[in-house]
């Protein structure tokens, strides 16, 4: 079963399952956008738009998701909040944007979801401007961490919802253009993390 199919089935119940447990780390994640001048922000894998109530209004937002059923719910949330955001059906592992387009790429619960997180990170790096930021909120295991439960459930859950075996450090090692600014625990001890990256001037 592909993720597009499973998220089509999950769309009607996604908010009921995810909104409440993620709310406080989501607020902390989006606090990172509450500073500075208006920016061009890309939100990758926006889902049903649970981020929207916490987004500051000064920026220009574009958002992607693979699953039309998730985006339909996001569109309703956009209307409810009278918010301006361009929504596109797109794959974060193959983004339909030219290089160096955005000041910020936000990746809340998407990098460790997709089958090839390295491709998704490389794509975020490609479309963000030199000096721009990539803000991540997701679950990772540490290099060498045994995490048998997470590695075991990954065998099943990766096909229907998310991977649980992604080692962020291994991804970063393969993206020499990205500099780590911050990496801090966000939820469930340090399973979920808030990670800030900056694209180096090349
Ligand atoms: C766990 S949800 C996260 C949604 C939202 N970011 C949030 O924080 O609630 C994962 C989302 O990623 C989307 N998705 C899965 N694979 C994708 C891909 N390759 N490209 C874009 N979106 C994808 C799913 O449709 C789903 O909406």
């Amino acid at each position: 079963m592909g993720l597009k199919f499973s998220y089509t089935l999950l769309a009607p119940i996604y908010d009921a399952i995810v909104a409440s447990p993620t709310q406080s780390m989501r607020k902390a994640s989006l606090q990172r956008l509450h500073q500075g001048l208006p920016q061009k922000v890309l939100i990758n894998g926006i889902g049903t738009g649970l981020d929207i109530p916490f987004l500051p209004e000064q920026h220009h937002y574009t958002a992607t998701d693979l699953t039309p059923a998730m985006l339909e719910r996001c569109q309703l949330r956009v209307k409810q909040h009278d918010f301006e955001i361009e929504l596109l059906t797109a794959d974060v592992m193959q983004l339909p944007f030219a290089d160096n387009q955005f000041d910020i790429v936000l990746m809340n619960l998407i990098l460790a979801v997709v089958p090839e997180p390295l491709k998704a990170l490389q794509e975020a790096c490609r479309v963000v401007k030199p000096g721009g930021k990539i803000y991540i909120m997701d679950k990772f295991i540490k290099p060498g961490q045994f995490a048998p439960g997470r590695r075991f459930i990954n065998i099943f859950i990766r096909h229907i919802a998310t991977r649980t075996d992604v080692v962020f450090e291994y991804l970063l090692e393969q993206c020499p253009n990205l500099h780590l600014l911050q990496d801090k625990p966000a939820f469930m001890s340090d399973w979920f993390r808030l990670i800030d990256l900056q694209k180096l001037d090349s």
Side-chain angles (χ1 to χ4, degrees):
M1 181 167 29
L3 288 183
K4 185 170 171 180
F5 180 70
S6 57
Y7 276 102
T8 300
L9 299 182
L10 284 170
I13 54 167
Y14 182 83
D15 291 0
I17 300 169
V18 174
S20 169
T22 60
Q23 180 163 317
S24 80
M25 75 169 164
R26 193 180 294 282
K27 274 190 194 166
S29 169
L30 297 170
Q31 198 56 40
R32 299 179 284 186
L33 298 178
H34 281 255
Q35 339 152 334
L37 297 168
Q39 309 262 303
K40 276 184 81 179
V41 179
L42 172 65
I43 303 178
N44 267 343
I46 191 168
T48 59
L50 289 175
D51 290 339
I52 287 170
F54 310 108
L55 292 175
E57 283 184 6
Q58 78 262 30
H59 303 306
H60 178 273
Y61 294 100
T62 303
T64 63
D65 201 280
L66 187 67
T67 312
M70 297 292 275
L71 280 177
E72 278 162 28
R73 280 160 200 277
C74 187
Q75 186 71 65
L76 292 177
R77 191 167 259 122
V78 166
K79 280 194 187 135
Q80 271 167 15
H81 286 81
D82 197 16
F83 202 79
E84 296 238 348
I85 182 164
E86 189 183 350
L87 298 179
L88 293 173
T89 307
D91 185 341
V92 299
M93 297 180 292
Q94 198 174 7
L95 289 169
F97 306 113
D99 299 355
N100 307 326
Q101 290 292 301
F102 296 95
D103 300 296
I104 296 173
V105 178
L106 181 74
M107 302 184 84
N108 279 352
L109 305 181
I110 179 69
L111 188 58
V113 164
V114 294
E116 295 183 77
L118 179 59
K119 267 196 186 167
L121 188 58
Q122 286 169 335
E123 276 294 88
C125 180
R126 181 181 67 75
V127 301
V128 80
K129 295 174 185 171
K133 310 269 177 61
I134 300 175
Y135 294 142
I136 296 163
M137 172 187 95
D138 221 320
K139 59 209 159 314
F140 300 103
I141 54 180
K142 296 268 169 56
Q145 189 176 358
F146 186 35
R150 283 178 249 170
R151 289 184 194 274
F152 179 70
I153 61 167
N154 179 64
I155 297 167
F156 310 100
I157 203 172
R158 65 180 296 158
H159 302 295
I160 53 171
T162 185
R163 288 183 57 169
T164 52
D165 67 337
V166 179
V167 179
F168 175 73
E169 286 77 359
Y170 295 164
L171 304 180
L172 189 58
E173 271 172 22
Q174 296 174 76
C175 297
N177 281 358
L178 292 177
H179 170 66
L180 180 66
L181 296 174
Q182 175 174 258
D183 179 355
K184 62 179 188 183
F187 182 50
M188 297 181 84
S189 185
D190 58 357
W191 187 14
F192 287 78
R193 289 150 63 181
L194 295 183
I195 297 170
D196 300 3
L197 305 172
Q198 184 164 35
K199 180 170 170 180
L200 300 173
D201 294 324
S202 45

